[in-house]
Amino acid sequence: MMDNLKTSHGVLKLPAFFPDATRAVIRSLDSEDVKNCGIQGMVVNTFHLLSRPGARVISGQGGIHRFMNWDGHIISDSGGFQLFSLLAGSSKLGSVSGKGFIYRLNKGDDRKILTPEKCIQKQFQFASDIMVCLDYCTHPNDSYDKQKESVEYTILWAGKCKSNFDKLLREKDIDDDARPLLFAVVQGGSDFDLRRECAERLIEIGFDGYGYGGWPIVDGNQLAETVELVSQILPPTKPKYALGIGKPENIVKCAKMGYSLFDCVIPTRDARHRRLYVFSEKPESSSLAGSDFYKCLYFLDKKHINDKRPLEADCDCLCCSRGYSRAYLHHLFKIEDTLAYRLATSHNLRFYARLMEAIRMRSGTPETIQ
Ligand SMILES: [Zn+2]
């Protein structure tokens, strides 16, 4: 696994977890809070930012970093997954072709088009550090023909994204060490041959990094075997990004397979749903084996009502280090005060950052992770 990755915002230590700031914010946290959690970067979503506030606003503000007041790393995801979800919900809302996605957000809205070229052009307007090619996601239960079509479009679009990326780099005359990186996403559902074909043809085009896309987690928490297959095919010299893979035990497994970038809504969404992650033992001395190295606490549980203890004694997050008790956090959730979301989200993100620190400590000896 690579130890670090240089982006236009400095050195990113790998492996790294990027929380989803889909609409350019981690709900309830400001950028200083996020940095204090030990988080190195965030993922924003091109599709969502195009509808609000629009690329022109972000560009006019000096780019996504200035707009968010965040000087860490930023990945802009393409939005392919969200468009897939939109169309899966109702085919009346749009269609897919070799040219890209045609869609409307609601019935009666104007039609919008997201082409691969436009997707990259908009990400240049955001000026993100890592850009992601437009890809076409599928559901694992989709037919072989549908999976095949998704792979064909994903490869075709990745080629168009790369051409436009290179063209914009030349036009903007960006220095090589200040340029953004471009990642492509491997699709193919649970079909080994399609995954292999997609990975190999994307490698032929040549990208700065590669992602594993689609529905990776199936059947009783088992990681799909295709996750490992794809990692074996991808070049060891390029970063591998496991899109949307975020259960702590799955991050540990994927890091062992060679993936070094992760994003997921789990820590932030679960925090808002009163589900908090705590280590069962100190992560730096834990084997991180199985899923017993951590547990989840549900904060509406009555057992917290009179608990004077901090959420987690060893944690240095905003919530734990400032002396807030479990009883107080329970109370804040009960009365639905926004402070509950800030404290809980800070804690969960710190948990994820500590997990990544623990994996990085072992990165020289990956065999110790089981
Ligand atoms: Zn904490």
Side-chain angles (χ1 to χ4, degrees), residues 12-157:
L12 171 63
K13 287 180 277 186
L14 298 177
F17 178 84
F18 279 39
D20 287 320
T22 307
R23 295 176 185 272
V25 64
I26 305 240
R27 277 193 221 170
S28 77
L29 298 192
D30 91 319
S31 59
E32 196 67 28
D33 289 338
V34 177
K35 186 178 279 183
N36 289 339
C37 293
I39 292 294
Q40 304 178 79
M42 297 187 248
V43 179
V44 299
N45 189 279
T46 301
F47 168 70
H48 283 297
L49 294 182
L50 285 186
S51 54
R52 222 178 294 168
R56 201 177 295 167
V57 170
I58 294 174
S59 161
Q61 293 289 315
I64 191 72
H65 291 84
R66 191 67 226 100
F67 185 55
M68 291 171 67
N69 191 27
W70 171 253
D71 61 4
H73 310 270
I74 292 182
I75 298 175
S76 47
D77 194 5
S78 69
F81 182 82
Q82 286 68 27
L83 278 161
F84 158 75
S85 305
L86 181 79
L87 301 191
S90 168
S91 57
K92 289 184 184 141
L93 289 175
S95 60
V96 191
S97 76
K99 291 194 173 123
F101 288 98
I102 298 174
Y103 65 98
R104 51 185 111 219
L105 293 175
N106 300 292
K107 278 183 198 164
D109 283 1
D110 288 342
R111 250 178 18 155
K112 296 177 190 299
I113 299 174
L114 187 60
T115 63
E117 292 87 349
K118 184 174 165 188
C119 186
I120 293 299
Q121 184 213 334
K122 298 298 175 186
Q123 293 182 64
F124 266 88
Q125 282 183 269
F126 301 159
S128 50
D129 302 299
I130 298 177
M131 303 181 180
V132 178
C133 293
L134 188 65
D135 62 323
Y136 183 18
C137 187
T138 54
H139 191 274
N141 295 340
D142 282 337
S143 66
Y144 177 83
D145 287 349
K146 186 92 179 165
Q147 309 283 7
K148 175 87 182 152
E149 181 188 64
S150 117
V151 166
E152 287 305 326
Y153 285 158
T154 295
I155 295 164
L156 175 68
W157 296 350

Side-chain angles (χ1 to χ4, degrees), residues 274 276-280 295-315 319-320 322-334 340 343-344 347:
R274 311 164 190 98
L276 298 182
Y277 290 73
V278 296
F279 286 102
S280 313
K295 60 186 173 209
C296 290
L297 302 176
Y298 299 90
F299 256 78
L300 281 191
D301 209 323
K302 285 188 181 135
K303 69 180 181 189
H304 302 301
I305 290 177
N306 293 306
D307 197 331
K308 291 180 179 152
R309 290 176 299 165
L311 189 46
E312 187 174 1
D314 293 326
C315 179
C319 181
C320 302
R322 292 197 182 170
Y324 297 105
S325 66
R326 293 185 181 196
Y328 187 58
L329 196 55
H330 175 271
H331 166 68
L332 293 177
F333 272 125
K334 204 74 186 164
L343 295 179
H347 174 80

